[in-house]
Amino acid sequence: FNRTNSRGQIKRCFMNNKNNFQYSVAIRTVGKAGEKYIQELESLHAQTIKPSHIYVHLAHGFERPNVQVGIEEYIDTPKGLVHQRAAANMVEEEYVLIIDDDVYFPKDAVEKMHRALVEYNADGIAPDTFPSQDLSLISKIGAYVSNTVRERKNDGWAIRIQHSGAFSFNGKPEKGAIYPTESAAGTAVFMKTSVWKAIHYEEEVWIDQFPAGTFGEDQLMYQKMIENGYKLLMWYDSGVLHLDANTNKASQKTYDKIYYRAMAQYLTWYRCVYNLPRNTKVDKIKDCLAYGYRFVLSCSVRLVYSLLHCSPRFLTAHVKGNIDARKFVHSEAYQKVPRFVFEKK
């Protein structure tokens, strides 16, 4: 009896079982990512574990990209960040890779993400495609002053959501670490299809009434997982790249964009932090105080912008957005939105 060979066979058998899975890809796009989209498709087709399907959810009314790399299938979908993302419900395989249209994946990325879900007994994993820990000191200070986003010491978590609704990030993650997280960038996430369908993301289509780029629907998506009892991971130094990771700059801000972003900030806090069934009265007081501090701090930043530009629009848009969002959560329209946290059966 050769004990060494036997152990080797068992190990190979275990690895083969871990890699014996099926997944499909769901991409949302308006068909304008160009070369970055081609790089994404090529990297998907090069995976060590091939996808069963690559569904491209193209916004209705937009022209289909003039490229066919392999097995991608184009699906005409109502335009909207949530509409197009929720279209991933059509996936029938055990796992689903939900992505934007400008992401590059190393050839073993999906294989490693699946392995992490098995080893950590988790439901979803998102690569760190927006490494906040690498921001300059000036940028980190700006993130805190404008939005109370702050850095933490390495406590074994990736992102935590604060009482204010803003996130805090791990400032010193270990190289290649995989940590539990409460949120992530919406660029890419690999998860169990059953969990994706269980959170009923399609019920959040009310978000699509807001202009694209003003509502951080990814935080709401991930927190809906967390608050309903599912486990999410973040993978650092994965090699997965967001090829077009541009954020909106202050010079690009208009009155409408500031207004709707202010609404989104309040609504995300209200839905994902304040109005949760697990909250006690003390929790809600803490939430209100934290959001109040965030509001005052962000108003001071908008005031500075307004003074520098000799126009009150930066401040007034921010204040009015918060006021109108507060009215909206008490409106009949919002009351018809399904529960964020489902009742336990």
Side-chain angles (χ1 to χ4, degrees), residues 212-279:
T214 60
F215 205 110
E217 86 292 344
D218 46 359
Q219 180 178 336
L220 187 145
M221 177 182 75
Y222 290 128
Q223 284 196 257
K224 196 166 190 181
M225 283 184 64
I226 300 302
E227 293 298 335
N228 283 288
Y230 299 109
K231 184 177 180 181
L232 180 67
L233 304 173
M234 180 176 283
W235 178 20
Y236 291 93
D237 307 299
S238 63
V240 178
L241 301 175
H242 187 192
L243 300 174
D244 192 24
N246 291 324
T247 55
N248 291 286
K249 298 179 181 179
S251 59
Q252 300 170 329
K253 294 186 182 298
T254 63
Y255 179 92
D256 284 347
K257 182 171 288 187
I258 296 170
Y259 170 77
Y260 284 115
R261 281 200 165 182
M263 283 196 76
Q265 176 181 295
Y266 183 93
L267 292 171
T268 303
W269 167 80
Y270 183 86
R271 188 158 178 78
C272 302
V273 178
Y274 177 77
N275 195 35
L276 298 176
R278 64 175 172 81
N279 280 350

Side-chain angles (χ1 to χ4, degrees), residues 7-63:
R7 285 177 177 172
Q9 290 172 355
I10 292 172
K11 183 176 181 180
R12 285 193 297 272
C13 181
F14 177 66
M15 291 300 295
N16 287 336
N17 287 337
K18 287 173 70 175
N19 291 336
N20 185 24
F21 67 94
Q22 290 188 325
Y23 73 100
S24 284
V25 182
I27 304 171
R28 66 177 176 190
T29 185
V30 293
K32 297 182 179 180
E35 184 62 32
K36 299 178 182 68
Y37 174 59
I38 296 175
Q39 291 180 53
E40 173 179 88
L41 291 177
E42 289 175 344
S43 71
L44 290 171
H45 285 90
Q47 290 300 300
T48 53
I49 309 295
K50 308 296 182 187
S52 299
H53 300 275
I54 297 178
Y55 298 115
V56 183
H57 298 288
L58 179 66
H60 180 72
F62 286 81
E63 187 175 348

Side-chain angles (χ1 to χ4, degrees), residues 20-120:
N20 185 24
F21 67 94
Q22 290 188 325
Y23 73 100
S24 284
V25 182
I27 304 171
R28 66 177 176 190
T29 185
V30 293
K32 297 182 179 180
E35 184 62 32
K36 299 178 182 68
Y37 174 59
I38 296 175
Q39 291 180 53
E40 173 179 88
L41 291 177
E42 289 175 344
S43 71
L44 290 171
H45 285 90
Q47 290 300 300
T48 53
I49 309 295
K50 308 296 182 187
S52 299
H53 300 275
I54 297 178
Y55 298 115
V56 183
H57 298 288
L58 179 66
H60 180 72
F62 286 81
E63 187 175 348
R64 170 178 167 165
N66 187 25
V67 61
Q68 185 75 33
V69 174
I71 64 170
E72 60 269 19
E73 308 168 44
Y74 288 88
I75 314 293
D76 186 79
T77 309
K79 184 177 183 294
L81 293 175
V82 177
H83 272 101
Q84 289 175 258
R85 180 136 289 176
N89 286 348
M90 70 185 297
V91 170
E92 297 295 336
E93 285 67 36
E94 184 180 5
Y95 296 92
V96 58
L97 177 61
I98 300 173
I99 59 177
D100 289 340
D101 61 359
D102 52 5
V103 189
Y104 166 80
F105 295 88
K107 65 181 181 180
D108 57 353
V110 172
E111 180 180 346
K112 287 182 176 179
M113 286 191 288
H114 174 261
R115 189 180 306 161
L117 293 189
V118 174
E119 292 180 357
Y120 290 88

Side-chain angles (χ1 to χ4, degrees), residues 78-319:
K79 184 177 183 294
L81 293 175
V82 177
H83 272 101
Q84 289 175 258
R85 180 136 289 176
N89 286 348
M90 70 185 297
V91 170
E92 297 295 336
E93 285 67 36
E94 184 180 5
Y95 296 92
V96 58
L97 177 61
I98 300 173
I99 59 177
D100 289 340
D101 61 359
D102 52 5
V103 189
Y104 166 80
F105 295 88
K107 65 181 181 180
D108 57 353
V110 172
E111 180 180 346
K112 287 182 176 179
M113 286 191 288
H114 174 261
R115 189 180 306 161
L117 293 189
V118 174
E119 292 180 357
Y120 290 88
N121 191 28
D123 301 296
I125 181 169
D128 179 28
T129 54
F130 188 82
S132 301
Q133 65 277 7
D134 294 338
L135 292 173
S136 67
L137 178 59
I138 296 298
S139 295
K140 289 178 181 178
I141 293 173
Y144 180 79
V145 173
S146 63
N147 214 16
T148 67
V149 171
R150 67 178 183 85
E151 182 177 3
R152 304 186 327 275
K153 294 180 179 179
N154 190 344
D155 54 3
W157 280 81
I159 290 176
R160 305 300 300 263
I161 301 301
Q162 305 177 80
H163 284 286
S164 67
F167 69 90
S168 64
F169 60 91
N170 190 322
K172 296 290 182 180
E174 296 178 19
K175 183 75 173 178
I178 295 176
Y179 295 144
T181 190
E182 292 180 343
S183 191
T187 314
V189 60
F190 181 77
M191 69 168 72
K192 297 175 181 176
T193 303
S194 59
V195 171
W196 170 249
K197 294 182 178 181
I199 67 171
H200 293 286
Y201 192 55
E202 71 279 0
E203 295 180 348
E204 306 301 326
V205 292
W206 63 275
I207 291 173
D208 283 344
Q209 67 185 286
F210 296 92
T214 60
F215 205 110
E217 86 292 344
D218 46 359
Q219 180 178 336
L220 187 145
M221 177 182 75
Y222 290 128
Q223 284 196 257
K224 196 166 190 181
M225 283 184 64
I226 300 302
E227 293 298 335
N228 283 288
Y230 299 109
K231 184 177 180 181
L232 180 67
L233 304 173
M234 180 176 283
W235 178 20
Y236 291 93
D237 307 299
S238 63
V240 178
L241 301 175
H242 187 192
L243 300 174
D244 192 24
N246 291 324
T247 55
N248 291 286
K249 298 179 181 179
S251 59
Q252 300 170 329
K253 294 186 182 298
T254 63
Y255 179 92
D256 284 347
K257 182 171 288 187
I258 296 170
Y259 170 77
Y260 284 115
R261 281 200 165 182
M263 283 196 76
Q265 176 181 295
Y266 183 93
L267 292 171
T268 303
W269 167 80
Y270 183 86
R271 188 158 178 78
C272 302
V273 178
Y274 177 77
N275 195 35
L276 298 176
R278 64 175 172 81
N279 280 350
T280 64
K281 289 183 178 180
V282 173
D283 290 328
K284 290 192 172 186
I285 291 172
K286 289 180 179 178
D287 294 340
C288 287
L289 290 174
Y291 189 82
Y293 172 73
R294 179 184 183 186
F295 176 70
V296 170
L297 203 58
S298 58
C299 279
S300 66
V301 174
R302 273 71 181 182
L303 175 60
V304 171
Y305 276 117
S306 292
L307 292 173
L308 290 175
H309 290 82
C310 299
S311 170
R313 72 183 188 278
F314 293 97
L315 178 60
T316 55
H318 185 68
V319 173

